């Protein structure tokens, strides 16, 4: 088992522009964050195996470091109010996953303990939605989004069998009173069936397969204003 932590700094900047009373445009950028994780690797080795000099010396508890850069994210959002009761929104979000090409773990004193290549690509996320104030008490909303995946068939593993996905959402707000508001939402996430064609670097064996998956998310929240 391996554990580690780090503290690093990043930055975020954003702006909002209202060229008309009905049109609102927003943009934001979150920077990459460079981490140098520091921790330990804890090996549990059977006594008979640990007694073998070459193995016992290799699989011993040791300090580790792992460089890791989280991606930058750029977001642009637009809202247009067609009337006082009906509005539409659209989002674009770009994630620079190229900063995370591999997860590498180094032993203190030299040597590589782990190297898992990702070779991830930059991705785009597109969404469009609408809100309708059915009455002063009820607001209805719905939306659809397309989320690209940074993974690919060559480097995708069973640990993260991700692929591009579609998100379909509906929701509502109920203003029970001037003080109490209840929100409810449902999202269906449909994932394109990912395939794996992964060659193991040490054994030169190939793992091929196909995954299927989806998710259903339900949320209910209440807010009371004193």
């Amino acid at each position: 088992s391996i554990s580690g932590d780090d503290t690093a700094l990043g930055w975020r900047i954003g702006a909002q522009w209202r060229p008309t009373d009905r049109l609102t445009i927003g943009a934001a950028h979150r920077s990459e964050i460079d981490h140098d994780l520091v921790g330990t690797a804890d090996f549990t080795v059977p006594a008979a195996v640990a007694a073998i000099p070459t193995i016992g010396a290799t699989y011993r508890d040791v300090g580790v470091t792992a460089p890791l850069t989280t991606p930058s994210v750029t977001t642009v959002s637009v809202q247009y109010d067609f009337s006082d009761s009906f509005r539409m929104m659209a989002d674009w979000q770009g994630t620079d996953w190229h900063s995370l090409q591999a997860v590498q773990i180094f032993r203190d004193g030299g040597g590589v303990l782990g190297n898992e290549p990702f070779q991830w690509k930059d991705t785009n996320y597109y969404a469009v939605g609408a809100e309708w104030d059915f009455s002063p008490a009820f607001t209805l909303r719905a939306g659809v989004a397309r989320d690209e995946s940074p993974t690919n068939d060559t480097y995708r593993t069973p640990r993260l069998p991700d692929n591009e996905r579609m998100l379909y959402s509906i929701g509502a707000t109920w203003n029970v009173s001037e003080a109490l508001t209840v929100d409810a939402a449902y999202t269906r996430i449909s994932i394109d069936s990912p395939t794996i064609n992964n060659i193991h670097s040490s054994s030169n064996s190939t793992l091929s397969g196909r995954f299927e998956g989806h998710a259903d998310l339900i949320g209910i929240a209440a807010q009371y204003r004193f």
Side-chain angles (χ1 to χ4, degrees):
S1 63
I2 298 175
S3 61
D5 56 54
D6 178 57
T7 300
L9 295 176
W11 54 269
R12 184 193 300 264
I13 188 172
Q16 182 172 290
W17 179 39
R18 297 196 66 185
T20 71
D21 291 340
R22 295 188 179 275
L23 177 63
T24 304
I25 302 172
H29 180 79
R30 187 185 69 199
S31 70
E32 292 183 351
I33 301 179
D34 295 321
H35 291 277
D36 286 305
L37 301 169
V38 178
T40 57
D42 180 17
F43 290 93
T44 301
V45 184
V49 177
I52 302 173
T54 55
I55 297 180
T58 301
Y59 298 102
R60 58 180 175 80
D61 295 353
V62 65
V64 296
T65 59
L68 183 70
T69 300
T70 58
S72 64
V73 180
T74 302
T75 305
V76 177
S77 301
V78 178
Q79 175 176 312
Y80 189 80
D81 300 338
F82 288 89
S83 67
D84 291 340
S85 61
F86 181 75
R87 64 202 69 91
M88 292 192 69
M89 295 78 70
D91 282 346
W92 168 82
Q93 187 174 89
T95 305
D96 294 333
W97 285 113
H98 65 264
S99 65
L100 191 58
Q101 293 299 295
V103 172
Q104 296 178 313
I105 303 171
F106 299 94
R107 293 174 177 269
D108 288 354
V112 178
L113 183 60
N115 181 24
E116 183 168 348
F118 284 176
Q119 297 297 315
W120 281 359
K121 65 178 182 179
D122 297 345
T123 61
N124 294 295
Y125 171 89
Y126 308 94
V128 61
E131 286 186 341
W132 177 37
D133 299 327
F134 178 72
S135 69
F138 289 98
T139 297
L140 306 179
R141 58 182 59 90
V144 61
R146 177 71 172 174
D147 190 12
E148 296 178 348
S149 171
T151 62
N152 57 76
D153 289 357
T154 302
Y155 292 95
R156 186 184 291 117
T157 69
R159 186 176 301 171
L160 189 63
D162 188 42
N163 206 354
E164 296 187 0
R165 63 193 67 194
M166 293 294 298
L167 296 85
Y168 307 93
S169 300
I170 57 173
T173 296
W174 177 25
N175 297 311
V176 183
S177 66
E178 292 184 358
L180 178 61
T181 300
V182 178
D183 293 290
Y186 166 74
T187 298
R188 169 75 174 193
I189 302 177
S190 178
I191 306 172
D192 292 350
S193 298
T195 59
I196 286 180
N197 187 29
N198 195 281
I199 300 176
H200 195 272
S201 58
S202 59
S203 64
N204 203 35
S205 58
T206 301
L207 176 63
S208 298
R210 181 183 180 88
F211 290 81
E212 293 184 1
H214 67 271
D216 295 288
L217 309 178
I218 299 174
I220 299 176
Q223 176 178 302
Y224 190 86
R225 294 177 290 275
F226 295 94

